[in-house]
C-alpha cells in the first residue's frame, strides 16, 4: 500500500514498530477527530510519528522525525467513560517529505523507503546470528520470556525480524527511536547485536556483585565476634568509636531521667539492643527512634499550679467578657484542689456554636492556673491509630496524637485541648471515639498505653478540655465521661463589650496602627453588630472590624492620606463596609391573616420564623414549602388533627378543613428548618387562616403541641429570645416548663417583652381573643 498523504498521530512515550500492534486510549477531542478522519477518508490508515521529548506538550513541526510508521486502525471502541480505545497495527516504515497543517489536522507527505537488496545467503546469516545471540540472552536473563522464539523461529526476513526483536530487548526510549528511524535492516541487526552484548555484560556484572554481597553477609557473622573483641581493645587504648560514645550518652540520659523504674529498665534494655545491633541492620533506626521517644516524654515533669484564686479570676476576666458561670466552675476546681490536695483533674467539655470562644477560653484557663497548654483536633479522624498510635512493626510507625501532644508540651500536667470531638467518624479503620474512652476516664487514664510506646503513661494529672458544636453528635459512652459546660450565643451587648475591649484593641495592633489614632464610637460598633453580622459568636464581627481597619491602612499607605485620628461614627460604617447586610428591628407592626411569628435557633443564633398559611377549596391536601424537615411537617399534621378535634371551640366548620388544600410556607427556603417547637405557631396560623382573624406581628410563640393541646418544653430559649428582641417582638408565648430558663437571660434582653407562660394551647387562643389581637 502506497499513499502520498496521511494524517499524523503523534505518540508520546510509546513506540509502534512495523509488524506489531499498539493499544491506545484517547480522550482528546482533537485525536478522536483525527481517528475519524483516517477511517473516513484514508481507509483507516494513519501515520504514527514519535516526538523526541515525550514531556513536550506542543512539539514544533520542525522537531518531528522524518521517518514514521504507516499503521492501520484495526479496532475502535468507544468506552462509557468518554474515552475511545483503538488498536493500530504497524505496516511499514515511511520517509516523510514534509508536514503540513490543515484546520488543526497535521498531515504528512510520504515517499517510499528504498532498501538495499541483499543476497539470500547474507540475509540468512544475519538472521541466524541475531537469533543465536538472542537465545543466549534469554538463557542468561531470568526476567526475559522465551515466547519471542516461537515468533521468530526459522525467520529469514531480517527487516521483519529486527522490528520484532527491537520490541522485546530492554532499552531506552531514545534507543528504540534510533532503531525505528534506521531504515537499513543490516544496520539495525548490528545495533541489536551491540545492545544484546552490552546487556549480557551488565548481567555478568550483576551476578558478580550478588556473589560478593553473599560473601559479605557470611563475613558479617564473623565480624560481629571480632568487633566485640576490637571494642575491648579500643577501650583499653582509649580509642572509642562514635557509636560507643553515643551509647554512653544515652545511658547518661537514662540515669538523669525523671521516670518510673520500669521505664528506665525498658530504656536500658533497648539501649543494649541498639548497642549489639549491626550498623547495616534496618532495625537500628527503629530502635534508636523508640529510645528517643521514651527519653523525650515528660514522665514526672510537672509545673506548679497558680493557687492565687484572685489572680486566676483577673486573668479570666481580662481574656473573656461574660461567661460568669464557666469562670465560676474553674474557680471551684482550683478551690477544691487547694482544699483536698487531689491531683485528679476534671474532664471538661465546652459545647456551643462556632465563634463563641471555646478554644480560646480553654487556653485562658491554662494561663490562669499557670499550666502549659497543648491542642489537637480530632475532627474528621477515622483511624483509631491517630489516637493510640501504630505498632512498631509497621513501617513509619509513630505514637498517637495524645503522646505526641505530651511530648510537645513537655509537662505531665498540662491543659490538653481536644478540639471538635463531635466530628469524629467511624469506618473500617476503627472507631477513634472508642479510643478516647481510656484517655478521658479519670479512673483509667493513669495507665494509658500507646501502641507504639508499649508502656503505661499517667494522664491523670492532665486537665483535658474538649470542645464541640453539637452535644447530640458526641457518642453517648464518651459523653458520659465528660462534664459538659454549654456556651450559649452572645447577646449584642456582650458582643459590644467583646468588640470594644478585646477585638478592636487587638486588631488595631495587628494592623500596625495605634489605639490612640483609631476610635470606634459605640453607635458604630452596634451598627456593625446589628446590620453586618448575624451569628452566635464574634468571628464575623472580628472580620468586619478588620475590614474597616484595612481600608484605613490602605488610605494611609496607598493614598498617602494620613490623619492624626480616625473616628469611626455610625454613618461612616456604610462608607467602609458598604450597604447593610441584615435588617434590624424591621418587623412591620401590622396584623395579618394566616401569618404567625414562630421562633428559631440555628448555629448563627436565634431569629423569628414567620409561618404563612393559606387554604383554598380543593381535596384536602397539605402542601409544605420552605425546606421543611420531616419533624416540622409532622407538627403541621398534629396541629390540623388537633384543630379538627376542637372545631367547635375554635368556631371552624369541619367541612372547611376537609374540603380545603392547606399550603404552609416558611420564608428563606434555602435554609433547612426542622424540629417540633413551631407546633403552637403552626396551630395559631391555621386557626387565623380558617377564621379570618388577624394576628399581630409583634407577637411570637414557641412550643411543641400534642394532640391533646398540651404545650411541651423547647430548647435554645436564650437564643430565640435574643432573636425576638432583635425583631422588635413585644409579646412571647412560652411553655410553662421553660419558665426556669428565663432566669438565665439577662434583664436588659427581657426588658420591653411580655412573657406569657402556658401549658395548654387553649390558653393561647383565649388570650388572643380576649386581647382582640
Amino acid at each position: 500500500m502506497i499513499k502520498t498523504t496521511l494524517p499524523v498521530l503523534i505518540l508520546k512515550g510509546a513506540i509502534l514498530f512495523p509488524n506489531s500492534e499498539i493499544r491506545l486510549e484517547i480522550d482528546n477531542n482533537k485525536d478522536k477527530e483525527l481517528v475519524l478522519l483516517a477511517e473516513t477518508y484514508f481507509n483507516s490508515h494513519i501515520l504514527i510519528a514519535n516526538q523526541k521529548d515525550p514531556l513536550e506538550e506542543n512539539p514544533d513541526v520542525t522537531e518531528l522525525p522524518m521517518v514514521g510508521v504507516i499503521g492501520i486502525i484495526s479496532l475502535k471502541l468507544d468506552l462509557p467513560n468518554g474515552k475511545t480505545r483503538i488498536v493500530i497495527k504497524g505496516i511499514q516504515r515511511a520517509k516523510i517529505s514534509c508536514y503540513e497543517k490543515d484546520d488543526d489536522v497535521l498531515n504528512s507527505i510520504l515517499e517510499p523507503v528504498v532498501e538495499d537488496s541483499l543476497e539470500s545467503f547474507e540475509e540468512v546469516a544475519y538472521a541466524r546470528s541475531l537469533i543465536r545471540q538472542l537465545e543466549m540472552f534469554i538463557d542468561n536473563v531470568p526476567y526475559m520470556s522465551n515466547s519471542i522464539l516461537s515468533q521468530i523461529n526459522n525467520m529469514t526476513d531480517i527487516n521483519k525480524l529486527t522490528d520484532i526483536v527491537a520490541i522485546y530487548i530492554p532499552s531506552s526510549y531514545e534507543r528504540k527511536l534510533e532503531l525505528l528511524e534506521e531504515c537499513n535492516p543490516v544496520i539495525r541487526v548490528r545495533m541489536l547485536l551491540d545492545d544484546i552484548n552490552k546487556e549480557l555484560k551488565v548481567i555478568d556484572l550483576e551476578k558478580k556483585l550478588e556473589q560478593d554481597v553473599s560473601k559479605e553477609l557470611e563475613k558479617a557473622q564473623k565480624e560481629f565476634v571480632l568487633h566485640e573483641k576490637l571494642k575491648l581493645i579500643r577501650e583499653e587504648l582509649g580509642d572509642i568509636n562514635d557509636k560507643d560514645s553515643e551509647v554512653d550518652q544515652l545511658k547518661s540520659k537514662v540515669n538523669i531521667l525523671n521516670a518510673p523504674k520500669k521505664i528506665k529498665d525498658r530504656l536500658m534494655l533497648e539501649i543494649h539492643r541498639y548497642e549489639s545491633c549491626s550498623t547495616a541492620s534496618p532495625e537500628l533506626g527503629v530502635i534508636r527512634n523508640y529510645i528517643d521517644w521514651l527519653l523525650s516524654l515528660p514522665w514526672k515533669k510537672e509545673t506548679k499550679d497558680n493557687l492565687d484564686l484572685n489572680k486566676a479570676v483577673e486573668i479570666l476576666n481580662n481574656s473573656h467578657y461574660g461567661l460568669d458561670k464557666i469562670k465560676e466552675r474553674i474557680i471551684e476546681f482550683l478551690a477544691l484542689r487547694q482544699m483536698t490536695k487531689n491531683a485528679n483533674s476534671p474532664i471538661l467539655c465546652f459545647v456551643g456554636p462556632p465563634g463563641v470562644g471555646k478554644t480560646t477560653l480553654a487556653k485562658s484557663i491554662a494561663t490562669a492556673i499557670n499550666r502549659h497548654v497543648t491542642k489537637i483536633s480530632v475532627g474528621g479522624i477515622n483511624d483509631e491509630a491517630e489516637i493510640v498510635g501504630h505498632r512498631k512493626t509497621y513501617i513509619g510507625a509513630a505514637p498517637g496524637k495524645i503522646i505526641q501532644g505530651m511530648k510537645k508540651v513537655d509537662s505531665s500536667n498540662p491543659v490538653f485541648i481536644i478540639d471538635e470531638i463531635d466530628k469524629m467518624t467511624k469506618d473500617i479503620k476503627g472507631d477513634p471515639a472508642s479510643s478516647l474512652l481510656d484517655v478521658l476516664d479519670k479512673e483509667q487514664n493513669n495507665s494509658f498505653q500507646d501502641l507504639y510506646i508499649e508502656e503505661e503513661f499517667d494522664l491523670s494529672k492532665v486537665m483535658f478540655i474538649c470542645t464541640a458544636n453539637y452535644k447530640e453528635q458526641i457518642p453517648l459512652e464518651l459523653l458520659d465521661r465528660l462534664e459538659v459546660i454549654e456556651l450559649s450565643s452572645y447577646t449584642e451587648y456582650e458582643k459590644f463589650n467583646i468588640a470594644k475591649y478585646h477585638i478592636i484593641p487587638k486588631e488595631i495592633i495587628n494592623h500596625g496602627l495605634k489605639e490612640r489614632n483609631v476610635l470606634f464610637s459605640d453607635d458604630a460598633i452596634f451598627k456593625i453588630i446589628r446590620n453586618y453580622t448575624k451569628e452566635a459568636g464574634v468571628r464575623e464581627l472580628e472580620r468586619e472590624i478588620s475590614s474597616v481597619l484595612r481600608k484605613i491602612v490602605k488610605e494611609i499607605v496607598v493614598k498617602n492620606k494620613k490623619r492624626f485620628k480616625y473616628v469611626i461614627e455610625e454613618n461612616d460604617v456604610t462608607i467602609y463596609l458598604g450597604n447593610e447586610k441584615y435588617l434590624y428591628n424591621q418587623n412591620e407592626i401590622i396584623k395579618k391573616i394566616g401569618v404567625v411569628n414562630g421562633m428559631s435557633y440555628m448555629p448563627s443564633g436565634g431569629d423569628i420564623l414567620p409561618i404563612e398559611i393559606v387554604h383554598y377549596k380543593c381535596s384536602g391536601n397539605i402542601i409544605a414549602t420552605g425546606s421543611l424537615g420531616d419533624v416540622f411537617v409532622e407538627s403541621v399534621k398534629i396541629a390540623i388533627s388537633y384543630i379538627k378535634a376542637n372545631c367547635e371551640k375554635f368556631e371552624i366548620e369541619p367541612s372547611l378543613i376537609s374540603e380545603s388544600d392547606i399550603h404552609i410556607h416558611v420564608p428563606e427556603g434555602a435554609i433547612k428548618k426542622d424540629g417540633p417547637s413551631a407546633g403552637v405557631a403552626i396551630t395559631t396560623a391555621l386557626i387565623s387562616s380558617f377564621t379570618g382573624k388577624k394576628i399581630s406581628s409583634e407577637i411570637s410563640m414557641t412550643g411543641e403541641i400534642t394532640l391533646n393541646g398540651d404545650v411541651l418544653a423547647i430548647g435554645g430559649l436564650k437564643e430565640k429570645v435574643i432573636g425576638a428582641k432583635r425583631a422588635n417582638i413585644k409579646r412571647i408565648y412560652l411553655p410553662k416548663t421553660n419558665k426556669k430558663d428565663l432566669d438565665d437571660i439577662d434583664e436588659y434582653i427581657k426588658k420591653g417583652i411580655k412573657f406569657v407562660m402556658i401549658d395548654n394551647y387553649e390558653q393561647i387562643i383565649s388570650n388572643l381573643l380576649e386581647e382582640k389581637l
Side-chain angles (χ1 to χ4, degrees):
M1 183 213 70
I2 298 175
K3 282 187 175 288
T4 58
T5 304
L6 280 180
V8 180
L9 177 64
I10 300 175
L11 290 186
K12 301 178 182 180
I15 297 178
L16 174 66
F17 282 89
N19 305 301
S20 66
E21 289 183 344
I22 189 170
R23 289 170 170 79
L24 301 173
E25 282 189 3
I26 56 177
D27 55 0
N28 188 301
N29 291 332
K30 185 178 177 181
D31 290 341
K32 290 181 181 179
E33 292 173 3
L34 187 67
V35 170
L36 182 62
L37 178 67
E39 288 181 318
T40 306
Y41 298 104
F42 297 91
N43 197 22
S44 297
H45 287 79
I46 194 168
L47 182 77
I48 305 299
N50 288 89
Q51 60 186 69
K52 293 184 179 179
D53 185 2
L55 300 178
E56 180 65 38
E57 288 294 329
N58 298 306
D60 190 68
V61 174
T62 59
E63 297 176 357
L64 294 177
M66 302 311 292
V67 176
V69 176
I70 299 174
I72 184 169
I73 302 170
S74 60
L75 176 66
K76 177 186 173 186
L77 181 63
D78 293 324
L79 301 178
N81 59 3
K83 295 183 179 181
T84 299
R85 181 176 295 166
I86 59 173
V87 177
I88 303 176
K89 184 176 180 181
I91 299 175
Q92 67 181 58
R93 285 177 177 79
K95 285 191 176 181
I96 302 163
S97 298
C98 64
Y99 292 94
E100 57 184 25
K101 278 197 172 183
D102 184 15
D103 293 332
D104 282 339
V105 175
L106 186 63
N107 293 316
S108 61
I109 299 177
L110 309 178
E111 60 185 47
V113 176
V114 179
E115 299 177 357
D116 297 332
S117 60
L118 291 174
E119 295 290 338
S120 60
F121 70 91
E122 290 180 314
E123 195 164 10
V124 169
Y126 278 116
R128 286 181 181 177
S129 177
L130 181 58
I131 292 173
R132 187 165 51 250
Q133 197 72 357
L134 183 64
E135 288 174 345
M136 184 187 302
F137 180 74
I138 292 173
D139 290 338
N140 284 275
V141 179
Y143 55 81
M144 190 73 179
S145 172
N146 60 2
S147 60
I148 184 177
L149 296 177
S150 62
Q151 299 182 45
I152 63 175
N153 192 27
N154 298 323
M155 184 180 290
T156 58
D157 184 356
I158 61 173
N159 194 27
K160 184 177 180 180
L161 176 64
T162 53
D163 287 335
I164 294 174
V165 173
I167 299 171
Y168 288 88
I169 293 298
S171 57
S172 65
Y173 175 82
E174 291 75 15
R175 183 62 171 175
K176 288 185 183 293
L177 278 181
E178 292 176 8
L179 289 166
L180 179 65
E181 293 175 4
E182 179 54 61
C183 298
N184 191 329
V186 174
I187 297 177
R188 291 206 300 274
V189 170
R190 292 172 179 170
M191 292 171 67
L192 287 171
L193 288 173
D194 185 52
D195 290 346
I196 291 172
N197 289 330
K198 287 180 180 178
E199 193 66 22
L200 285 171
K201 291 179 181 178
V202 171
I203 291 169
D204 289 338
L205 181 59
E206 287 178 350
K207 288 181 179 179
K208 184 180 179 182
L209 289 174
E210 288 177 0
Q211 292 174 357
D212 293 339
V213 170
S214 178
K215 291 178 182 178
E216 288 295 325
L217 290 175
E218 291 175 1
K219 281 188 200 176
Q221 298 177 351
K222 297 178 183 178
E223 288 176 356
F224 176 75
V225 177
L226 296 173
H227 177 74
E228 292 298 315
K229 293 180 179 180
L230 183 61
K231 179 182 173 183
L232 294 174
I233 295 172
R234 284 180 173 174
E235 285 180 354
E236 291 293 327
L237 296 173
D239 182 16
I240 302 175
N241 61 25
D242 291 340
K243 187 178 177 184
D244 296 332
S245 176
E246 188 180 11
V247 168
D248 290 340
Q249 290 177 7
L250 291 174
K251 289 180 179 179
S252 299
K253 290 180 180 180
V254 173
N255 291 331
I256 62 174
L257 181 66
N258 188 9
K261 184 177 183 301
K262 184 179 179 181
I263 302 301
K264 289 190 172 185
D265 292 342
R266 177 65 184 269
L267 273 167
M268 296 304 295
L269 176 64
E270 294 296 330
I271 291 173
H272 178 70
R273 287 183 60 207
Y274 177 73
E275 186 178 14
S276 60
C277 191
S278 170
T279 54
S281 174
E283 283 289 315
L284 191 70
V286 176
I287 298 172
R288 178 56 199 267
N289 194 41
Y290 181 68
I291 293 172
D292 288 341
W293 269 104
L294 290 184
L295 286 171
S296 62
L297 290 177
W299 298 98
K300 292 184 178 181
K301 192 174 182 180
E302 298 182 20
T303 56
K304 188 176 180 181
D305 286 353
N306 169 37
L307 301 179
D308 187 348
L309 301 187
N310 293 325
K311 184 178 179 181
V313 170
E314 182 182 349
I315 293 172
L316 290 174
N317 287 335
N318 289 337
S319 62
H320 285 75
Y321 178 83
L323 306 175
D324 295 331
K325 289 189 176 181
I326 299 169
K327 294 174 182 177
E328 183 180 350
R329 175 65 188 88
I330 301 304
I331 300 305
E332 288 174 357
F333 158 70
L334 296 176
L336 185 63
R337 283 286 301 273
Q338 287 190 41
M339 183 66 70
T340 62
K341 308 297 182 183
N342 186 358
N344 285 342
S345 297
I347 311 296
L348 303 179
C349 180
F350 295 157
V351 177
V356 295
K358 300 182 292 295
T359 304
T360 55
L361 177 62
K363 292 179 179 179
S364 296
I365 291 172
T367 305
I369 61 178
N370 194 33
R371 289 194 184 187
H372 296 163
V373 62
T374 185
K375 174 183 171 293
I376 64 171
S377 178
V378 294
I381 285 180
N382 62 349
D383 188 354
E384 62 183 16
E386 293 284 337
I387 304 296
V388 296
H390 303 79
R391 298 189 184 278
K392 289 190 296 182
T393 52
Y394 294 102
I395 296 175
K401 287 181 175 289
I402 301 298
I403 291 297
Q404 289 181 27
M406 295 303 296
K407 175 190 174 183
K408 182 167 59 176
V409 79
D410 197 28
S411 170
S412 64
N413 65 335
V415 172
F416 202 120
I417 304 170
I418 304 179
D419 222 356
E420 312 290 0
I421 65 165
D422 57 332
K423 297 179 180 61
M424 290 182 287
T425 57
K426 178 180 179 181
D427 63 10
I428 193 171
K429 295 181 181 178
D431 184 7
S434 299
S435 301
L436 277 176
L437 296 179
D438 286 346
V439 177
L440 300 179
D441 191 337
K442 291 188 290 184
E443 304 301 325
Q444 301 179 42
N445 63 9
N446 60 344
S447 57
F448 171 71
Q449 196 165 20
D450 186 276
L451 293 179
Y452 181 86
I453 299 299
E454 296 179 349
E455 297 291 342
E456 295 179 351
F457 190 91
D458 186 3
L459 296 174
S460 61
K461 298 176 184 178
V462 179
M463 184 176 184
F464 286 101
I465 299 180
C466 305
T467 71
N469 294 130
Y470 305 101
K471 181 179 177 181
E472 301 78 16
Q473 294 181 8
I474 303 174
L476 292 177
E477 62 274 14
L478 187 58
L479 187 63
D480 183 59
R481 288 162 164 76
L482 306 175
E483 182 177 338
V484 176
I485 298 177
E486 296 193 11
L487 281 74
S488 59
S489 303
Y490 289 123
T491 66
E492 65 177 30
Y493 296 99
E494 288 175 329
K495 290 180 181 179
F496 169 79
N497 283 282
I498 293 171
K500 186 171 184 177
Y501 298 109
H502 296 277
I503 296 177
I504 291 176
K506 181 187 74 172
E507 290 300 318
I508 287 175
I509 294 173
N510 290 343
H511 285 76
L513 301 169
K514 294 183 178 179
E515 203 168 337
R516 67 175 183 269
N517 299 129
V518 180
L519 176 65
F520 284 77
S521 70
D522 293 353
D523 291 338
I525 298 173
F526 274 116
K527 185 173 181 63
I528 295 173
I529 294 170
R530 292 168 176 172
N531 298 117
Y532 292 88
T533 67
K534 194 174 184 180
E535 58 179 340
V538 291
R539 283 184 181 149
E540 184 64 24
L541 175 60
E542 185 172 351
R543 283 191 284 267
E544 296 296 338
I545 291 172
S546 178
S547 179
V548 173
L549 294 174
R550 283 199 306 272
K551 289 177 173 58
I552 292 175
V553 171
K554 176 184 175 183
E555 186 176 325
I556 295 173
V557 177
V558 178
K559 297 183 180 181
N560 199 23
K561 293 182 179 180
K562 188 172 182 181
R563 283 186 268 160
F564 178 75
K565 193 163 189 175
Y566 289 84
V567 180
I568 313 301
E569 298 288 355
E570 183 178 2
N571 295 332
D572 298 325
V573 174
T574 307
I575 298 173
Y576 285 104
L577 297 180
N579 294 331
E580 298 174 354
K581 297 179 181 178
Y582 307 102
L583 300 178
Y584 183 79
N585 282 347
Q586 295 297 317
N587 186 17
E588 298 179 8
I589 307 174
I590 58 174
K591 295 182 178 181
K592 295 181 181 179
I593 296 175
V595 180
V596 174
N597 289 325
M599 302 172 73
S600 67
Y601 169 52
M602 295 174 289
S604 60
D607 204 351
I608 60 170
L609 194 70
I611 297 172
E612 303 174 348
I613 292 180
V614 296
H615 72 279
Y616 44 88
K617 192 172 182 63
C618 203
S619 55
N621 295 322
I622 300 174
I623 305 168
T625 57
S627 296
L628 306 183
D630 294 338
V631 178
F632 196 104
V633 175
E634 286 179 0
S635 297
V636 176
K637 296 176 180 178
I638 293 170
I640 292 173
S641 297
Y642 171 69
I643 294 172
K644 285 181 178 179
N646 297 274
C647 282
E648 294 182 4
K649 292 181 181 178
F650 303 135
E651 300 179 358
I652 299 173
E653 191 67 34
S655 60
L656 180 61
I657 302 176
S658 58
E659 296 175 0
S660 298
D661 276 5
I662 301 171
H663 189 156
I664 177 169
H665 176 70
V666 182
E668 297 188 32
I671 301 175
K672 179 78 173 176
K673 309 167 191 75
D674 204 0
S677 62
V680 293
I682 294 169
T683 306
T684 306
L686 285 166
I687 294 173
S688 172
S689 179
F690 284 121
T691 60
K693 294 179 179 178
K694 299 179 179 180
I695 306 297
S696 172
S697 60
E698 289 186 300
I699 295 174
S700 67
M701 55 191 70
T702 183
E704 179 181 355
I705 193 169
T706 68
L707 289 172
N708 295 321
D710 294 331
V711 180
L712 306 182
I714 50 89
L717 182 61
K718 178 180 178 181
E719 287 77 11
K720 291 179 178 180
V721 173
I722 292 172
K725 178 80 172 181
R726 182 186 182 104
N728 205 23
I729 296 296
K730 303 300 182 185
R731 181 170 305 191
I732 300 176
Y733 290 91
L734 298 175
K736 189 172 288 184
T737 46
N738 282 111
K739 185 175 182 179
K740 62 183 185 302
D741 298 325
L742 285 175
D743 297 335
D744 297 331
I745 303 175
D746 295 327
E747 289 299 325
Y748 64 82
I749 299 174
K750 296 185 287 186
K751 186 178 180 181
I753 300 177
K754 181 180 179 181
F755 294 92
V756 181
M757 314 307 296
I758 46 98
D759 53 19
N760 189 278
Y761 181 75
E762 291 185 21
Q763 298 170 358
I764 294 181
I765 198 64
S766 62
N767 191 301
L768 289 174
L769 293 174
E770 289 174 7
E771 298 289 337
K772 296 182 179 181
L773 296 172

